[in-house]
Amino acid sequence: MAHTSKAYVLDHKVANIKSHQWRTARNSAAFVIDSIHPDMYILDVGCGPGSITVDFAEMVPKGHVTGIEIGADILSQAQSLAHERGLENVTFGEADVNALKYPDATFDLVFAHQVLQHLPEPVKALREMRRVAKLGGMVAVREGELGTSFAYPDLAGIRNTVELYVRVARNSGSHPDAGRELLSYALESGFTRSAITASASSFCFSSDEDRAMWGKTWSDRLQESSFRKRALDGGFADPTDLESYAKDWRDWMTRDNAIWAHLNGEILCRK
Ligand SMILES: C[S@@+](CC[C@H](N)C(=O)[O-])C[C@H]1O[C@@H](n2cnc3c(N)ncnc32)[C@H](O)[C@@H]1O
């Protein structure tokens, strides 16, 4: 199986993984946690390093969570995290969301966080997620949009990074506007309008720790990552541009008055 999907413009290098490991059920899945019951069977699609997945496992002591990933290289980290947290009700495996090997109606909740935006056919993936959800079960998805962001100080390199990301993502066949498109994906995949709750919530980074994580994530992505390669290969920037953008991120993260925020679209769909 492919390491990661072709449209996935990021990768599993340390910089990306750090921003994924920061995520918890509380800071990334608040729109769904009130609907989780202790005996639920949950599928976490594109679980990455598993930080949200293991939080879900703690919420379902009488149930089970399965985390799946197309990029098998990251699964050992997810497994180690579950082991460190002493969890026995969570398993991880390699799979493509477009062709899940589960029978219809297997899970109470099928969840994906920041995954559909990286797929060439998000509606196809959502149909497959819907298929494996039980009747009366739920499909929940949250997708961020960097284009909705603000940053202070308003540094040119940060603004240029956002613009570059959107161009590289579009050129790679992924969907940087997936946050606002989620509701229409859900309708197209077969959910009725009355069965869908659409919402939005932000990611905001301003504490010393969060700025260090977000600033380093972008500075590193600009210096060595599949995103950098795609930006250069596509002729969207040259190495001098990328170095100047990275410098602005390093500057931003050291400032006490710095803040970043962007919106995430969310859908909670009942089957
Ligand atoms: C941005 S990461 C999000 C990881 C995790 N959900 C989180 O929020 O921390 C997107 C993940 O989706 C995975 N992915 C991409 N295409 C996939 C596919 N077709 N099937 C399953 N996973 C996929 C990538 O390998 C990557 O780990």
Side-chain angles (χ1 to χ4, degrees):
M1 188 175 288
H3 229 39
T4 52
S5 72
K6 266 198 188 137
Y8 186 42
V9 299
L10 303 173
D11 52 35
H12 290 144
K13 288 206 180 350
V14 175
N16 284 327
I17 296 310
K18 285 237 175 301
S19 71
H20 299 169
Q21 283 166 334
W22 171 91
R23 297 172 186 165
T24 63
R26 211 153 283 286
N27 70 26
S28 299
F31 70 110
V32 71
I33 53 184
D34 283 349
S35 307
I36 295 180
H37 303 294
D39 57 353
M40 276 187 164
Y41 278 67
I42 299 177
L43 179 67
D44 184 6
V45 164
C47 63
S51 56
I52 301 173
T53 329
V54 296
D55 282 353
F56 282 159
E58 282 175 353
M59 293 174 191
V60 294
K62 295 183 197 152
H64 187 271
V65 183
T66 306
I68 59 151
E69 248 303 328
I70 202 163
D73 53 331
I74 194 65
L75 288 176
S76 59
Q77 284 193 43
Q79 260 141 6
S80 305
L81 186 61
H83 185 68
E84 276 164 33
R85 302 260 285 257
L87 292 164
E88 289 179 1
N89 63 339
V90 55
T91 46
F92 295 96
E94 189 178 359
D96 182 345
V97 63
N98 294 299
L100 296 171
K101 293 197 174 69
Y102 305 104
D104 296 356
T106 302
F107 298 96
D108 299 293
L109 168 64
V110 184
F111 175 80
H113 188 253
Q114 315 296 349
V115 179
L116 295 196
Q117 64 186 283
H118 299 298
L119 305 177
E121 296 180 281
V123 175
K124 180 178 175 196
L126 205 49
R127 278 201 191 104
E128 190 62 351
M129 291 170 68
R130 183 174 185 275
R131 182 185 68 75
V132 300
K134 289 179 187 168
L135 207 59
M138 290 171 294
V139 172
V141 180
R142 186 173 190 249
E143 298 293 329
E145 277 199 30
L146 291 189
T148 64
S149 62
F150 67 69
Y152 187 88
D154 184 21
L155 303 176
I158 294 185
R159 250 180 289 125
N160 290 335
T161 303
V162 171
E163 203 178 296
L164 178 66
Y165 178 80
V166 171
R167 293 177 75 196
V168 169
R170 288 219 174 94
N171 189 54
S172 305
S174 61
H175 297 268
D177 302 327
R180 74 191 66 187
E181 291 170 353
L182 275 181
L183 175 55
S184 63
Y185 297 168
L187 289 167
E188 226 184 301
S189 73
F191 290 102
T192 57
R193 182 63 189 87
S194 59
I196 309 165
T197 304
S199 54
S201 63
S202 67
F203 266 152
C204 183
F205 306 121
S206 69
S207 69
D208 290 354
E209 206 181 24
D210 289 355
R211 286 195 325 271
M213 175 278 292
W214 193 239
K216 187 161 167 30
T217 291
W218 281 104
S219 156
D220 288 1
R221 278 174 183 168
L222 288 158
Q223 289 178 307
E224 197 205 333
S225 69
S226 60
F227 167 61
R228 174 189 168 92
K229 184 168 173 356
R230 288 178 195 230
L232 295 174
D233 290 353
F236 299 114
D238 64 33
T240 313
D241 296 329
L242 298 184
E243 182 43 43
S244 79
Y245 304 172
K247 189 170 158 297
D248 276 358
W249 280 105
R250 290 192 297 271
D251 177 2
W252 175 85
M253 67 192 248
T254 61
R255 299 203 198 189
D256 278 351
N257 63 354
I259 185 166
W260 162 282
H262 72 263
L263 284 174
N264 295 273
E266 301 160 341
I267 45 164
L268 184 57
C269 314
R270 201 161 285 277
K271 184 168 164 190

